[in-house]
Amino acid sequence: MPVRKASAVWEGGLRTGKGSMRLESQAFEGPYSFPSRFEEGAGTNPEELIAAAHAGCFSMALSAALERAGYSPKRVATQAHVHLEMVEGRFTITRIDLVTEAEVPGIAPEEFLRIAEEAKAGCPVSRALAGVGEIRLTARLV
C-alpha cells in the first residue's frame, strides 16, 4: 500500500502568521490562517481537510459494504461536520457528524442503516479518529 503525504508551511506568529497546505498529488494546495481556522476567514484549515478525508473514506466504505451485502449502490453522498471546541483551555475536535444519503435500489431502510453503521465503524479514517469524543451518523435513502 502506498504512503500518502501532505505538507504544510507556517510563517509568523499564531494570530498574524499565515500558511499553506499541499497534497503530494498536487490535487490541492491552499492557504490557511488563524482566521480561516478559528473564525470565518478565507482559506482552508486542518479540520476542513479532516472533514473531506472522512467524508470521502466513509462514502467509499459504505459503497463497499453495500456491495458485499449484495446491493448495487448508485450514489453515496456524505458531508462530514468536524466540531472544534475549546476544552480545558485547549482546542479539541470534540465530535464529527457524518451526514450521508444514498441511492440503493432494493434495500430496506433498516438494512441500510445497519450497513451504514458497520461502514462507519470500519472506515479507516473513522478508526484513525477514534480519539474524537463522538462520531455520529445520520444516514438516509433517497
Side-chain angles (χ1 to χ4, degrees):
M1 291 285 194
V3 174
R4 303 301 180 190
K5 300 173 191 160
S7 61
V9 174
W10 186 262
E11 298 172 335
L14 175 64
R15 291 187 183 273
T16 59
K18 62 183 176 155
S20 65
M21 291 186 272
R22 179 180 182 188
L23 305 183
E24 180 184 45
S25 66
Q26 299 180 4
F28 172 81
E29 181 172 357
Y32 73 116
S33 64
F34 185 91
S36 74
R37 187 166 190 197
F38 302 111
E39 299 167 355
E40 295 295 328
T44 191
N45 56 71
E47 292 73 27
E48 183 175 54
L49 297 176
I50 288 170
H54 205 174
C57 183
F58 177 76
S59 291
M60 289 180 76
L62 179 54
S63 181
L66 288 162
E67 283 184 323
R68 280 192 305 274
Y71 299 99
S72 298
K74 289 187 172 189
R75 180 175 184 270
V76 176
T78 305
Q79 292 183 3
H81 305 236
V82 174
H83 297 260
L84 182 66
E85 300 177 42
M86 187 66 72
V87 176
E88 298 176 358
R90 296 175 10 184
F91 285 106
T92 304
I93 295 174
T94 58
R95 187 175 89 229
I96 299 172
D97 297 322
L98 293 173
V99 180
T100 194
E101 59 181 41
E103 187 177 348
V104 187
I107 194 169
E110 302 79 21
E111 176 79 351
F112 171 70
L113 292 175
R114 183 188 66 74
I115 293 171
E117 285 292 340
E118 288 175 3
K120 181 186 85 168
C123 165
V125 173
S126 291
R127 293 187 358 228
L129 297 171
V132 171
E134 181 178 17
I135 299 175
R136 297 180 184 176
L137 172 64
T138 302
R140 73 180 186 97
L141 289 169
V142 292

